[in-house]
Amino acid sequence: MTLETKVANWLKWDKNEATRAEIQSLVDSKDDAALAARMNGRLLFGTAGVRARMEAGFARLNDLTIIQLSGWITLHRRPDCATLEERKRTGQSAFFWKDTSGQEGREVAGEALVGGFKNDITLTGFKWMGNVSYDMAKENKKVILAWEESIGFMPGHTLDKDGVIAAAIFAEMAAFLETEGKTLEQQLFALYHRYGYHLVRSSYWMVPSPSVTQELFATLRKDLKFPEHIGKEVVKYVRDLTVGYDNSQPGNKPLLPLSTSSEMVTFTLENGSIATLRASGTEPKIKYYIELKTAPGKNQEVSHWDRYQQELVYYDVHN
């Protein structure tokens, strides 16, 4: 399609007077270079969604391109919905899956044991969860949810983080619970009672230089003699994806791909809780994730388990 045709389409389709005037001004000044920059090229999708400057043009983010993106997503969803409805009509079965990234997932594993679905863990990042979900879909398995700690949610059909759809699903859940006379908080504690408490505490420590991070992790894994206790708790398994070690697997070979360019060590305790240390790939930080898991049927207040998590964080640092 020629630049002239793209410009004509823009002036015909754009109903926002401000952005339409931007393009008209460039046409009047015969600034073909600026028009080409705005009209040619594709919008890019990243961790935070669509990435582009907010101004007029098909290669920019504005009212018209948002409408177009919404339309394309709707067209993409129609075949998916039709397939699911056909399965319901013909009685075909579909598998329901949840994916989570490397920092979380034990709470889902607990639900899976009771609920009858499967849970998988990927490396950190929605590109990993999206790819795994895509491969599962080709095997006629239905992924219902994936998420990453602190970052966001990926309803299975979106194949990427989507806060808008996640918010709509959350609102739908709240509306359904309201019809049963329940609040979201009440439902959360009902799940805690059924599956056990699964609470995550995460934060980070600043480090003065990359050499400090390297020294810390080198000391932690020296000769693959990892700590056997974190505080009073016994360490059952250790997974080190930097060097490719996981003593919960045959031959100590991890199922997850190696990530030799980044530091990440996960400790699974005898009581089912998890402690992960990970170096940030973009900032001078060492991040930690403490995931507490209890047996079903516990009724203690969250503050009780919060104090326990604080103890794990302390011993993780001073180990």
Side-chain angles (χ1 to χ4, degrees):
M1 186 181 298
T2 65
L3 178 61
E4 183 179 15
T5 301
K6 290 180 180 179
V7 170
N9 286 341
W10 180 272
L11 294 174
K12 178 181 178 181
W13 297 339
D14 187 16
K15 305 304 179 184
N16 184 308
E17 293 183 5
T19 49
R20 192 176 187 282
E22 286 181 34
I23 299 301
Q24 187 62 59
S25 176
L26 294 175
V27 171
D28 294 341
S29 63
K30 299 182 179 180
D31 192 342
D32 289 343
L35 285 169
R38 294 190 183 211
M39 293 295 172
N40 296 331
R42 294 186 176 185
L43 292 170
L44 300 178
F45 288 78
T47 301
V50 180
R51 293 182 174 179
R53 293 183 61 177
M54 296 184 67
E55 57 185 7
F58 290 118
R60 300 291 189 260
L61 199 58
N62 47 68
D63 287 0
L64 179 56
T65 53
I66 289 174
I67 290 171
Q68 290 178 318
L69 286 169
S70 301
W72 293 329
I73 291 172
T74 301
L75 289 173
H76 175 73
R77 286 288 295 117
R78 282 178 179 172
D80 189 34
C81 292
T83 300
L84 186 57
E85 288 302 316
E86 178 64 15
R87 284 179 179 168
K88 291 179 181 178
R89 187 181 66 80
T90 60
Q92 297 180 50
S93 62
F95 291 89
F96 289 84
W97 234 267
K98 288 188 180 181
D99 294 334
T100 49
S101 75
Q103 278 103 246
E104 60 281 323
R106 295 293 176 174
E107 65 268 38
V108 180
E111 294 176 25
L113 291 174
V114 179
F117 55 83
K118 182 177 173 60
N119 169 61
D120 277 343
I121 298 176
T122 73
L123 289 180
T124 302
F126 282 90
K127 64 181 180 182
W128 295 101
M129 289 182 276
N131 287 338
V132 169
S133 299
Y134 178 77
D135 290 339
M136 287 181 174
K138 291 192 294 185
E139 298 174 5
N140 200 37
K141 297 169 183 174
K142 186 69 175 178
V143 179
I144 58 175
L145 180 66
W147 77 88
E148 187 171 294
E149 192 277 333
S150 299
I151 302 300
F153 296 88
M154 185 195 89
H157 62 276
T158 65
L159 297 182
D160 200 353
K161 179 174 66 175
D162 194 319
V164 175
I165 293 180
I169 293 173
F170 187 80
E172 185 178 14
M173 289 167 53
F176 171 76
L177 290 172
E178 197 275 336
T179 65
E180 297 196 336
K182 299 177 182 178
T183 65
L184 288 164
E185 183 180 34
Q186 289 171 335
Q187 180 66 7
L188 176 62
F189 278 87
L191 293 173
Y192 282 155
H193 185 77
R194 183 178 182 185
Y195 299 114
Y197 280 80
H198 293 78
L199 307 176
V200 175
R201 173 185 290 271
S202 62
S203 189
Y204 61 87
W205 305 287
M206 300 299 296
V207 291
S209 68
S211 62
V212 173
T213 299
Q214 293 169 3
E215 181 181 357
L216 185 150
F217 280 93
T219 300
L220 191 65
R221 67 167 65 93
K222 186 176 181 180
D223 299 325
L224 295 182
K225 295 180 179 178
F226 295 92
E228 297 180 353
H229 293 80
I230 295 181
K232 302 175 184 178
E233 303 298 337
V234 176
V235 175
K236 185 176 182 180
Y237 300 121
V238 179
R239 183 183 66 201
D240 186 337
L241 294 179
T242 307
V243 299
Y245 175 85
D246 185 346
N247 63 356
S248 71
Q249 299 299 324
N252 297 332
K253 300 296 183 183
L255 297 176
L256 292 176
L258 300 188
S259 183
T260 56
S261 62
S262 61
E263 305 280 3
M264 182 173 175
V265 179
T266 298
F267 300 92
T268 300
L269 309 183
E270 284 279 4
N271 65 6
S273 297
I274 298 173
T276 295
L277 292 175
R278 182 172 74 89
S280 171
T282 57
E283 300 173 288
K285 296 177 179 178
I286 295 177
K287 300 182 177 182
Y288 68 81
Y289 309 84
I290 306 294
E291 186 176 341
L292 169 70
K293 176 184 175 182
T294 73
K298 300 289 185 181
N299 292 312
Q300 286 95 333
E301 293 293 331
V302 171
S303 59
H304 169 83
W305 303 113
D306 189 58
R307 288 192 297 273
Y308 174 79
Q309 281 185 305
Q310 292 178 20
E311 292 179 9
L312 285 182
V313 172
Y314 175 83
Y315 287 114
D316 206 16
V317 175
H318 293 86
N319 211 9

